[in-house]
């Protein structure tokens, strides 16, 4: 699980990809550039409380989103803290709840996916199509962060052909992977040759 988490964070470390995800999932596609918060919600609020006076006077809300890449089965676990606790009768009103903002990438609507402008659209299209049709027919969208997209797909699908093709292109100094069509063509060529 750690390898998947790291691969996701590598692609999301790019500001264009991160802000694209936030803009589509939280703001319906409007291009809003939110303040990026690295720490978890509680740690960030604590830092705001303990921060310099100028920070305390300008506190802001913190939102954490969780991206679920499962395309074979939808998320069925709880997204609420209270659902995970054994709360004694009569005590429920005194326990604060905390819900995660979970987005199932494979189950986003086509309209939501088309709002992405970064490489994340390619990732979302991949998982959505795999969930709906078991096949992936790529668009001709240019990949800006080729290595990171292919690493994420390799790790999340446990299909290392994506990363292998990138490494082979790099080793042979071809540099011809510009779209997922190129990637799938190379995978197919390699399959035919071996």
């Amino acid at each position: 699980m750690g390898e998947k988490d790291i691969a996701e964070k590598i692609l999301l470390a790019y500001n264009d990809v991160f802000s694209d995800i936030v803009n589509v999932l939280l703001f319906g596609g409007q291009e809003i550039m939110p303040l990026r918060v690295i720490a978890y919600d509680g740690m960030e609020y604590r830092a705001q409380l303990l921060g310099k006076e100028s920070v305390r006077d300008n506190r802001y809300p913190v939102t954490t989103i969780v991206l679920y890449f499962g395309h074979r089965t939808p998320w069925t676990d709880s997204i609420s803290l209270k659902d995970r606790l054994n709360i004694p009768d009569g005590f429920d009103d005194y326990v604060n709840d905390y819900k995660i903002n979970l987005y199932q990438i494979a189950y986003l609507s086509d309209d939501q996916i088309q709002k992405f402008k970064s490489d994340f659209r390619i990732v979302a299209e991949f998982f959505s199509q795999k969930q709906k049709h078991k096949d992936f027919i790529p668009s001709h969208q240019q990949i800006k962060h080729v290595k990171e997209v292919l690493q994420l797909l390799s790790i999340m699908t446990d299909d290392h052909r994506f990363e292998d093709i990138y490494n082979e292109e790099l080793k042979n100094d071809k540099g011809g992977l510009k779209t997922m069509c190129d990637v799938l063509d190379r995978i197919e060529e390699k399959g035919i040759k071996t």
Side-chain angles (χ1 to χ4, degrees), residues 78-95:
S78 173
I79 58 170
S80 167
L81 176 62
K82 278 188 170 185
D83 290 345
R84 297 233 172 225
L85 300 175
N86 293 321
I87 302 172
D89 290 339
F91 201 59
D92 188 63
D93 291 343
Y94 304 103
V95 176

Side-chain angles (χ1 to χ4, degrees), residues 55-109:
V55 173
R56 286 186 292 204
D57 293 338
N58 295 307
R59 292 186 184 129
Y60 51 87
V62 177
T63 302
T64 299
I65 61 174
V66 176
L67 305 178
Y68 174 67
F69 289 96
H71 63 279
R72 291 185 182 97
T73 57
W75 180 272
T76 56
D77 287 343
S78 173
I79 58 170
S80 167
L81 176 62
K82 278 188 170 185
D83 290 345
R84 297 233 172 225
L85 300 175
N86 293 321
I87 302 172
D89 290 339
F91 201 59
D92 188 63
D93 291 343
Y94 304 103
V95 176
N96 291 324
D97 200 5
Y98 197 84
K99 295 181 180 180
I100 60 172
N101 299 303
L102 179 93
Y103 293 93
Q104 300 186 68
I105 304 307
Y107 297 87
L108 294 175
S109 71

Side-chain angles (χ1 to χ4, degrees), residues 33-190:
M33 298 295 284
L35 175 63
R36 183 161 184 190
V37 179
I38 296 171
Y40 292 103
D41 296 0
M43 292 188 317
E44 180 57 29
Y45 283 124
R46 184 172 191 271
Q48 289 182 46
L49 288 171
L50 299 176
K52 296 178 183 172
E53 195 167 320
S54 61
V55 173
R56 286 186 292 204
D57 293 338
N58 295 307
R59 292 186 184 129
Y60 51 87
V62 177
T63 302
T64 299
I65 61 174
V66 176
L67 305 178
Y68 174 67
F69 289 96
H71 63 279
R72 291 185 182 97
T73 57
W75 180 272
T76 56
D77 287 343
S78 173
I79 58 170
S80 167
L81 176 62
K82 278 188 170 185
D83 290 345
R84 297 233 172 225
L85 300 175
N86 293 321
I87 302 172
D89 290 339
F91 201 59
D92 188 63
D93 291 343
Y94 304 103
V95 176
N96 291 324
D97 200 5
Y98 197 84
K99 295 181 180 180
I100 60 172
N101 299 303
L102 179 93
Y103 293 93
Q104 300 186 68
I105 304 307
Y107 297 87
L108 294 175
S109 71
D110 291 338
D111 185 50
Q112 283 177 301
I113 292 171
Q114 292 309 306
K115 289 178 182 174
F116 291 116
K117 294 176 176 68
S118 71
D119 287 348
F120 196 75
R121 178 191 288 177
I122 296 165
V123 174
E125 284 175 339
F126 178 87
F127 285 102
S128 176
Q129 288 183 29
K130 294 294 275 181
Q131 182 269 131
K132 291 176 187 170
H133 313 292
K134 309 290 185 248
D135 252 346
F136 174 59
I137 301 170
S139 69
H140 292 282
Q141 178 181 339
Q142 295 280 316
I143 307 173
K144 184 175 180 181
H145 310 290
V146 177
K147 177 182 178 183
E148 293 78 6
V149 167
L150 297 181
Q151 278 181 333
L152 180 64
L153 292 177
S154 285
I155 290 169
M156 292 299 183
T157 62
D158 201 27
D159 183 348
H160 294 281
R161 293 179 299 170
F162 296 110
E163 197 168 6
D164 292 346
I165 290 299
Y166 174 80
N167 291 332
E168 188 176 296
E169 288 283 312
L170 193 62
K171 184 176 80 175
N172 296 331
D173 199 28
K174 291 183 181 178
L177 300 176
K178 300 199 181 353
T179 68
M180 283 303 290
C181 292
D182 297 333
V183 172
L184 295 181
D185 286 347
R186 298 296 191 292
I187 289 173
E188 189 174 311
E189 288 171 12
K190 189 174 180 180

